[in-house]
Amino acid sequence: MVAASTIDQIVRVYREKGHRHYGENVTELEHALQTAEFASRAGESNQVVLSCLLHDYGHLLHDLGEQIAERGIDARHEELGARLLSEHFPPEIVEPTRLHVAAKRYLCWKHPHYYDGLSQASRMSLQIQGGPMSENEAREFEANPYYEIAVRVRHYDDLGKVQGMQTRDLEAYRELMLEFLIDPQS
Ligand code: FE
């Protein structure tokens, strides 16, 4: 079954690389599970929950090491993740993941207090990601059909950094991945 092997492959990436830290108090796997958990507890749709789970997939797939923002490196992880995810999932799952960094830059423009609530790592990476959007960039962002979902994903992303939080395991999301997989039989 191609579908099962695609999901196995994604699960394996999280199992093998998810222990990485990227400047937060949690591992990549904990962060993914917490982000999805917060979305699910808030009553978000399966679409949003799955985007939340996968939003940092690209962080697991570069080999630039950990705490890269501290070293002034922008891995463009959102683009890398989106490119790989788009082989398996439709735009309604992939585009919010591609836009979750833009959503942070947008929210810094829209609500200047939003910046104050960001983790130290997020503030540091903001600088190398281009800082807050300009008004023109923000208007362009608002014209993207996925921008509102991206902003919601961003909200749960910002919450999912809790040390020691209990969440469901990755295995609990297999069915959700299967639900959205493009052409599971191909
Ligand atoms: Fe994240």
Side-chain angles (χ1 to χ4, degrees):
M1 279 271 297
V2 172
S5 71
T6 297
I7 293 171
D8 282 345
Q9 186 191 327
I10 293 170
V11 168
R12 196 176 327 120
V13 168
Y14 278 95
R15 293 266 176 246
E16 288 176 2
K17 306 268 182 87
H19 61 276
R20 286 180 176 182
H21 282 258
Y22 63 108
E24 305 288 356
N25 290 325
V26 292
T27 66
E28 290 283 0
L29 176 58
E30 288 169 330
H31 175 59
L33 293 172
Q34 289 184 17
T35 304
E37 188 81 29
F38 277 114
S40 160
R41 286 184 193 176
E44 292 286 0
S45 65
N46 285 350
Q47 174 200 349
V48 175
V49 172
L50 185 55
S51 277
C52 283
L53 181 75
L54 300 173
H55 78 277
D56 271 342
Y57 190 59
H59 260 309
L60 303 173
L61 299 165
H62 63 70
D63 285 312
L64 299 169
E66 302 177 53
Q67 268 94 4
I68 51 172
E70 281 175 29
R71 293 188 280 128
I73 300 169
D74 181 5
R76 303 283 295 159
H77 72 281
E78 67 280 16
E79 290 294 340
L80 176 63
R83 193 164 66 237
L84 292 159
L85 289 171
S86 67
E87 292 172 19
H88 309 298
F89 295 103
E92 66 257 39
I93 300 299
V94 177
E95 292 312 307
T97 74
R98 189 194 307 281
L99 295 173
H100 81 277
V101 170
K104 176 172 70 171
R105 297 185 55 229
Y106 170 75
L107 286 168
C108 286
W109 168 81
K110 177 103 178 159
H111 307 292
H113 287 302
Y114 169 78
Y115 177 85
D116 302 331
L118 286 175
S119 68
Q120 213 192 339
S122 277
R123 289 183 196 184
M124 204 176 303
S125 56
L126 174 70
Q127 295 319 313
I128 54 178
Q129 288 159 344
M133 281 185 174
S134 65
E135 177 155 4
N136 278 349
E137 286 176 310
R139 297 298 170 218
E140 200 178 310
F141 182 66
E142 286 171 345
N144 188 303
Y146 296 103
Y147 100 91
E148 282 178 308
I149 294 177
V151 164
R152 297 227 292 283
V153 169
R154 184 72 222 182
H155 171 65
Y156 304 115
D157 178 9
D158 291 329
L159 294 177
K161 301 174 179 182
V162 182
Q163 233 168 343
M165 178 179 163
Q166 292 296 314
T167 63
R168 279 169 289 182
D169 184 73
L170 195 52
E171 294 299 324
Y173 292 97
R174 276 183 184 268
E175 240 174 81
L176 192 55
M177 288 193 253
L178 193 56
E179 182 186 329
F180 286 95
L181 214 56
I182 297 170
D183 199 6
Q185 301 305 323
S186 68

